[in-house]
Amino acid sequence: MRSQLQCMECGQQYPIDTVIYNCNTCGGLLDVQHDFDALRKTISRETFDERLGSLEAPYNSGVWRYKELIYPDVDSTCIVSRPEGNTNLYRSLKLGQWAGVDTLYLKHEGENPTGSFKDRGMTGGVTQANVLGMKRVACASTGNTSASLAAYAAFGDMKGIVFFQDQQIALGKLAQAVAYGAMGIQVAADFDRNLELVREIAQRFGIYVLNSINPFRLEGQKSIIFETIQQLRWRAPDWIVCPGGNLGNSSAFGKALYELHQLGFIDRISRLAIIQAEGANPLYRGYRRGFNTFAPVRAHTVATAIKIGNPVNYAKAIRSLEWTNGVVEQVSDQEIMDAKALIDRQGIGCEPASACSLAGTRKLVQMGIIKPHETVVGILTGHVLKDPDATIAYHEGRLADIEAAYPNRLHRAEPSVEAISRILSSDSVRQA
Ligand code: F0G
């Protein structure tokens, strides 16, 4: 049986080539559902281990290495791949110590072709656009999705159209969208309103929507989990900790863990910890109330990537939490920026939203939820170069309401050996 689209609420199925984002019957979110009974007979861990280091497309991609778990029936000639994935999993003793755990890994999704995890979803979404013969693709974005869409649309010879708020889009991301040739539309409205607009415009003009409401995006993002667990020799860590904005990643992670377990690739499911910024925390608020009500929030945070108040994948994220016995926590902008400074100082580097993973781990250890002996994988979602303004403003003490705990101030010097010598010998210059 071929893969199908299936409503997560009422189970209604649709052919895989239907252009649809919500169930026609009940409005529920859709999943790409594969025939696992058939797959179980044809793939094993070895299938994927043998493809490691492959030089051939599509298996040279860290997404399409797992093609059978992402989009088994797709014709390989339709795949639009840079290739993406194959990102590093760093073990950090120092950051583990700071967070309070013995074994901390950071999976650096900022090492994807456009500098964020979005590329893993975008290869899935743009490939489906190709299958469907779509010529125009669009998204609303806090920045990274637009950078990724712009690049993949250009690479796949399609027209990219990106909507974003007319302020607070990190410069690196904005520059990418413009450079890769997407049509950029700056709207005087937040991400949540932009997402509504893009969906209406797409419907009117027959444009394919590539936000994470698109289930093919989430199929690609599952590969973050597949690759991490393969890098750990198929041992699922105790915890996977990630930032939550529109909740596409959290949704994909839960599905990936559930499916790996169903297929017998792992013998237990890692617990998922979704970390939100305090000022953009609708999932956290719902979690605290046992998810009996949902109220969008007006979002504010220094981590502009996750400045989202009405996450479209809310229901799927709750399902992920159920599947993984997961938890939700929130961290302040201060905690985010301090954790980022420490990740940066290790030479690893990330953008602010990513640092939720480390800040959240530390908080959950302090609360006694994550135990010091447990293995934690924190997901770094974006590259340090995405948001240079936030980095410099932190170190110069220019971020409102944030007192940098780990500043690295720039020095100014007259062009003389004496002046520079004075700086080098001053107490403030550390030897290490
Ligand atoms: N981290 C970064 C760097 C992001 O760009 C995003 C989302 C997230 C985390 C949150 O992931 O939405 O799957 O919960 N950025 C989107 C964008 C919304 O438009 O680039 P999520």
Side-chain angles (χ1 to χ4, degrees):
M1 193 185 80
R2 289 169 72 85
S3 305
Q4 308 249 5
L5 292 170
Q6 184 173 311
C7 174
M8 69 170 283
E9 305 289 352
C10 74
Q12 170 84 38
Q13 293 193 328
Y14 302 87
I16 194 81
D17 56 358
T18 316
V19 179
I20 185 172
Y21 311 101
N22 286 96
C23 179
N24 282 338
T25 309
C26 76
L29 296 166
L30 301 175
D31 287 311
V32 180
Q33 207 59 50
H34 307 299
D35 180 357
F36 282 120
D37 289 335
L39 284 176
R40 213 173 266 122
K41 298 189 192 104
T42 55
I43 51 166
S44 65
R45 294 172 178 179
E46 288 70 36
T47 314
F48 304 126
D49 284 343
E50 280 163 16
R51 293 176 187 165
L52 282 173
S54 170
L55 299 175
E56 305 299 327
Y59 301 134
N60 57 354
S61 156
V63 174
W64 297 104
R65 179 187 313 133
Y66 312 99
K67 181 171 178 284
E68 291 82 353
L69 304 181
I70 306 270
Y71 197 166
D73 310 318
V74 75
D75 181 342
S76 289
T77 60
C78 288
I79 293 176
V80 181
S81 169
R82 287 288 305 274
E84 47 292 307
N86 293 310
T87 58
N88 285 303
L89 184 66
Y90 298 101
R91 173 132 193 227
S92 177
L93 294 176
K94 277 192 185 166
L95 296 176
Q97 238 165 31
W98 184 77
V101 288
D102 301 334
T103 314
L104 174 72
Y105 292 96
L106 295 173
K107 175 72 168 161
H108 208 326
E109 288 301 301
E111 295 173 349
N112 273 290
T114 77
S116 84
F117 73 93
K118 304 286 179 181
D119 295 343
R120 293 192 186 249
M122 208 51 74
T123 184
V126 171
T127 294
Q128 181 64 1
N130 216 8
V131 167
L132 297 169
M134 292 286 182
K135 294 285 169 244
R136 291 187 295 182
V137 290
C139 71
S141 181
T142 57
N144 280 322
T145 304
S146 64
S148 186
L149 180 146
Y152 278 77
F155 209 64
D157 204 17
M158 295 171 204
K159 183 69 193 165
I161 305 162
V162 299
F163 291 52
F164 25 54
Q165 190 167 11
D166 57 353
Q167 50 175 313
Q168 283 194 299
I169 303 296
L171 203 59
K173 307 173 190 180
L174 196 60
Q176 284 179 293
V178 172
Y180 296 137
M183 173 189 282
I185 304 177
Q186 295 184 294
V187 185
D190 63 11
F191 170 84
D192 301 297
R193 176 68 186 135
N194 269 297
L195 186 51
E196 289 171 3
L197 285 169
V198 82
R199 295 188 65 181
E200 282 178 41
I201 296 288
Q203 171 89 24
R204 180 173 298 189
F205 289 90
I207 300 169
Y208 196 51
V209 177
L210 284 178
N211 277 99
S212 53
I213 187 108
N214 184 315
F216 293 91
R217 279 268 318 270
L218 300 194
E219 287 306 289
Q221 284 168 217
K222 290 189 316 190
S223 67
I224 299 171
I225 297 299
F226 299 158
E227 193 173 275
T228 301
I229 290 180
Q230 188 175 23
Q231 285 168 314
L232 293 172
R233 310 282 195 277
W234 300 106
R235 278 193 296 271
D238 294 299
W239 289 93
I240 292 171
V241 187
C242 70
N246 216 14
L247 303 176
N249 238 5
S250 329
S251 302
F253 288 6
K255 189 167 189 275
L257 287 162
Y258 179 80
E259 291 177 353
L260 283 183
H261 192 249
Q262 288 276 304
L263 284 164
F265 281 65
I266 52 175
D267 50 21
R268 60 164 187 173
I269 293 184
S270 309
R271 296 183 71 184
L272 185 62
I274 306 173
I275 313 298
Q276 295 208 294
E278 272 177 12
N281 62 353
L283 185 73
Y284 175 76
R285 285 171 186 235
Y287 175 72
R288 296 298 304 211
R289 289 192 300 261
F291 293 123
N292 53 16
T293 54
F294 168 68
V297 303
R298 185 166 275 280
H300 290 283
T301 168
V302 70
T304 53
I306 50 173
K307 201 177 124 235
I308 294 174
N310 189 9
V312 75
N313 289 300
Y314 190 78
K316 279 188 180 173
I318 295 174
R319 183 180 66 175
S320 284
L321 291 166
E322 287 165 2
W323 273 338
T324 65
N325 187 22
V327 301
V328 187
E329 196 40 67
Q330 62 174 359
V331 289
S332 66
D333 280 3
Q334 173 82 50
E335 290 169 312
I336 290 173
M337 291 309 290
D338 286 336
K340 169 178 151 53
L342 291 174
I343 296 166
D344 292 352
R345 188 168 288 187
Q346 293 304 304
I348 295 172
C350 65
E351 73 156 73
S354 308
C356 284
S357 300
L358 179 64
T361 299
R362 179 174 155 98
K363 196 159 179 186
L364 289 168
V365 172
Q366 284 168 351
M367 294 166 75
I369 294 172
I370 296 181
K371 306 283 185 281
H373 67 272
E374 291 182 314
T375 302
V376 178
V377 174
I379 310 297
L380 301 182
T381 45
H383 198 279
V384 68
L385 290 175
K386 287 282 190 173
D387 193 351
D389 289 334
T391 304
I392 298 294
Y394 172 86
H395 288 288
E396 290 191 342
R398 283 193 284 105
L399 283 179
D401 304 323
I402 291 180
E403 183 102 21
Y406 309 103
N408 179 21
R409 298 243 151 76
L410 286 164
H411 299 270
R412 286 185 189 282
E414 296 299 319
S416 78
V417 170
E418 285 70 30
I420 294 169
S421 301
R422 267 199 301 281
I423 292 173
L424 284 180
S425 51
S426 75
D427 287 346
S428 66
V429 177
R430 258 190 298 279
Q431 301 298 313

